[in-house]
Amino acid sequence: MSVSVLGVRHHGPGSARALRAELERLKPDVVLIEGPPEADELVALAQDPDLQPPVALLAHVPGEPSRAAFWPFAVFSPEWQAIRYAVGAGVPVRFCDLPAAHGLAVPAEDSEEAGSPGDAAGDGDAGPAPAGDDPAEEERARAVRIDPIGELARAAGYDDPERWWEDAVEHRGDTPFQVIAEAMAAVREGHVPDGYEARREAFMRRTVRKAVKDGFERVAVVCGAWHVPALADPADPAGSGGDGGPAGRGRRGWGAGLPPAKADDALLKGLPKAKVELTWVPWTYGRLAAWSGYGAGVTSPGWYHHLFASPDRPVERWLTEAAGVLRAEDLPVSSAHVIEAVRLAESLAVLRGRPLAGLAEVTEAVRAVLCEGDDLPVELIQRHMVVGERLGQVPDTTPMVPLQRHLREEQRRLKLKPEALDRELDLDLRKPLDLERSRLLHRLRLLGVDWGSPQESRGKGTFRESWTLAWRPEFDIDLIEAGAWGTTVPSAAAARVRDLARGGTAGRGRSGAPGRGVPAPGTAGAGGSAGSGGGVSLADLTGLVERCLLADLPDALPYVLEALSARAALDSDVTHLMAALPAMVRAQRYGDVRGTPAAGLASIVDALLTRVCVGLGGAVTGLDDDAARGLLGHVDAVHAAVGLLDSAGDEPPKGRWLGALRAVSGRSDLHGLIEGRIVRILLDTGELDAGRAELRMSRAMSSGHPPARAAAWVEGFVSGGGLLLVHDARLLGLIDGWLTGLTPEAFVDVLPLLRRTFGAFAAPERRAIGERARSLGTGATTAAAAADDIDDQRAAAAVRTVLEILGRAS
């Protein structure tokens, strides 16, 4: 009997290649791998060619998918290579880490066991230390946080642990497992595992004992290098258990120098346990990168993949591929560039005493030669090659909830392939395929699966939509959670809408489990809450109507409209009604464009607008600056929405709205910002002629009003755009006269307000206003002088010509 404990670095290409060779040499009859034992039944799927890494084992608690954890695997992960070897050789595979049922039994925030050395990279990446005031406990906590790779690198004279690991292991082409075991034993000397780490290693030993008891003669254990001293016999640090050793060692058997089984059983007794389910899910190289927040121990997965896949001349092949990426972006890169870049990378490696040029050297060569010192193309290489664009794939035989399976079918039917990198998608809603794609993406957003993010359309017309698509591994968690609402995407989205209309919450944040598994990130399950405290706001309901129409959920729409009618009847706050109206108008319009029936919307819109018009007088009374600015946004939004409504009928919506604005425009208690904006709207719509608007402005800027109010009036008046001041010299002259007549003290007070107002204009508008103001200041022309200097006879000829062009000549 022999037990070989092979310590690896998770996601290390050198470890993966050496492990595969070592397993082929040892020819074990069982392989034990660090990971959740509940996944033993899923190993057989590794034989399916459709299971393509990067993939991850996903563990979750049924009914509570917010409690979940991932175990990622890339093609260069030693564990994945161990699985591939075992299934290819017909050798049983067992996972030997602490079961996910224990790790997920208690939410991470409620557990002191948040991690342990080796969680992420098998190299001593310790989790939080136990709390306490005992100095000995604090010292032990500091010991837990030891980074063994960092310790070994410092002992070798390196200041960069990653560089040392590449030089000592990755670039060697083989991994000296016995040397690594001895090095880890030295680093762990005097280390006392904490409760959680001790239980993990106790369960690993229990799994090894069971394999030996089951009659396996050659046992291979693949685990993070940190755990090797806890699994290998101290008298046999290589973990051979008697294989090829002295006869006495072979007779003694494995584990004689390790803690007894009784002690391990005592550690594992009484652990909390939850029912869990596991499956394979696609993963991405972006999620393997430490900068993405997942901390899987790989900062450059694309580079590691290259090292694993191209052991022969990796530097030359990498730089050739980098040249191809740059050429695809129309950047000039020649073969001579590649040759010089290879020479530079190799020269840097020699100067730095490295056996092979690493990522640092090839990146410097790319920057200096291929990119000629420009960092922007280097970022392109970083994104496409260093991190990588790969998205894994799982076969149809993988266990899935019905909602996941239906989405896969819809993705195939609609030809929407999930991709890791952002992809722009423009849809023409007049085409049936694009319309169905839009509906799918909107339905998924209602379920909290933000695969597509809507962007501002680059085309004209309401029949166009633009999206940015990017698939994220955590979407599988969202789909599992949304599976409680239905078995298909439309039915689940409709059920979710009905729940939101009743005031349901949008989802729960997720908490992950400790261990090597990567915790699932906390996100909102359905794109935000529709309400709080069991209620739902009017604006939320109107937005839900719009989303319901976009997603084509006619079965759910009546529930939302009923809730909206009830809520609108009880809401007496006019600002709430004004906030709700624009979304309702857009929903009515979308219903027309998409061919979706929107029965009942017109009556609700009409009722909302009527209540807004009636209550507008009270809403504009007694406002401070912040409230006035907020109401200004509502006034603009309602005005834009009313312009989309049908103007037919005896009392068109636009006429009612403008009538309400006229009724309040002459009040003396209006805030300057609101009064100025209303006057501008009435002027633009023809409800107020230029002379009366000039009179209103002159009155607002008289000396009887404080300068701050006059400045607010100007801000409200010109907030619709500055071109009016360019084309109407009289209005500009009024503002100029008021501004030049201010005292120095008053001018200092209103200057910031005016600067904010005019600073919002486009640069050409500001320039044109400045030119007109300069001519006013020099006295070259004024509005009155210009009127007096007009030659009526010469002007009449021009007027006749313009009328003829317009077809209005008498």
Side-chain angles (χ1 to χ4, degrees), residues 666-687:
R667 290 172 46 172
S668 60
D669 59 345
L670 288 180
H671 191 282
L673 192 66
I674 300 299
E675 182 183 354
R677 184 66 187 127
I678 291 177
V679 170
R680 175 63 183 275
I681 291 176
L682 295 175
L683 176 64
D684 289 344
T685 56
E687 295 293 316

Side-chain angles (χ1 to χ4, degrees), residues 3 5 181 185 205 227-242 249 252-259:
V3 176
V5 183
R205 291 191 291 266
H227 300 296
V228 170
L231 304 180
D233 194 321
D236 185 16
S240 64
R249 186 189 305 167
R252 187 181 60 147
W254 173 85
L258 296 175

Side-chain angles (χ1 to χ4, degrees), residues 172-215:
R172 285 174 52 98
D174 66 331
T175 299
F177 292 103
Q178 183 172 352
V179 174
I180 288 179
E182 293 173 355
M184 289 300 163
V187 173
R188 278 185 62 139
E189 186 176 353
H191 169 68
V192 179
D194 66 2
Y196 181 69
E197 181 191 357
R199 285 191 284 273
R200 287 184 65 196
E201 294 176 343
F203 193 89
M204 292 181 189
R205 291 191 291 266
R206 174 190 280 183
T207 307
V208 176
R209 291 189 186 98
K210 187 177 186 306
V212 173
K213 185 178 180 181
D214 290 344

Side-chain angles (χ1 to χ4, degrees), residues 278-294:
L278 275 83
T279 186
W280 290 106
V281 296
W283 203 250
T284 67
Y285 275 0
R287 283 294 189 255
L288 281 173
W291 57 261
S292 69
Y294 277 71

Side-chain angles (χ1 to χ4, degrees), residues 278-539:
L278 275 83
T279 186
W280 290 106
V281 296
W283 203 250
T284 67
Y285 275 0
R287 283 294 189 255
L288 281 173
W291 57 261
S292 69
Y294 277 71
V298 183
T299 58
S300 49
W303 169 251
Y304 274 17
H305 180 99
H306 176 78
L307 289 179
F308 180 79
S310 305
D312 177 44
R313 306 179 74 85
V315 175
E316 291 85 342
R317 297 179 187 275
W318 176 269
L319 291 172
T320 300
E321 185 177 349
V325 170
L326 296 175
R327 287 170 186 157
E329 298 295 328
D330 295 328
L331 297 175
V333 180
S334 66
S335 300
H337 283 93
V338 177
I339 294 172
E340 289 302 318
V342 171
R343 290 174 178 170
L344 177 57
E346 291 177 345
S347 299
L348 289 172
V350 171
L351 291 173
R352 295 169 181 175
R354 307 195 67 179
L356 182 71
L359 180 60
E361 286 72 30
V362 296
T363 300
E364 291 180 34
V366 166
R367 178 180 289 106
V369 181
L370 301 187
C371 301
E372 299 180 349
D374 188 352
D375 283 335
L376 189 59
V378 177
E379 289 297 323
L380 183 68
I381 300 296
Q382 169 76 21
R383 182 184 183 192
H384 285 263
M385 293 182 60
V386 178
V387 175
E389 307 171 350
R390 294 177 184 270
L391 172 66
Q393 175 181 315
V394 299
D396 291 336
T397 53
T398 303
M400 301 180 189
V401 299
L403 185 61
Q404 287 177 292
R405 198 169 298 281
H406 181 258
L407 177 58
R408 286 171 65 90
E409 294 171 357
E410 289 293 282
Q411 288 169 336
R412 292 194 190 98
R413 184 177 68 87
L414 300 178
K415 300 177 182 178
L416 279 178
K417 183 180 179 181
E419 297 178 4
L421 285 184
D422 292 353
R423 177 167 72 94
E424 301 300 322
L425 179 67
D426 292 320
L427 300 179
D428 185 342
L429 302 180
R430 297 170 298 183
K431 299 178 180 179
L433 178 63
D434 283 359
L435 181 58
E436 290 195 59
R437 288 173 170 177
S438 171
R439 289 169 176 168
L440 175 64
L441 295 173
H442 281 293
R443 289 166 182 170
L444 289 175
R445 282 176 58 80
L446 281 167
L447 294 173
V449 183
D450 294 332
W451 177 24
S453 300
Q455 307 296 321
E456 184 176 352
S457 179
R458 288 177 287 273
K460 295 182 179 180
T462 56
F463 56 85
R464 294 186 180 276
E465 274 188 353
S466 296
W467 295 81
T468 298
L469 303 184
W471 186 263
R472 303 287 181 255
E474 60 266 24
F475 291 158
D476 284 289
I477 285 287
D478 295 323
L479 287 169
I480 292 172
E481 187 169 8
W485 301 108
T487 58
T488 65
V489 175
S491 64
R496 189 70 187 112
V497 166
R498 290 193 291 269
D499 179 71
L500 291 172
R502 292 191 296 266
T505 56
R508 300 182 299 274
R510 287 192 287 269
S511 59
R516 194 195 131 222
V518 180
T523 60
S529 174
S532 58
V536 56
S537 73
L538 189 62

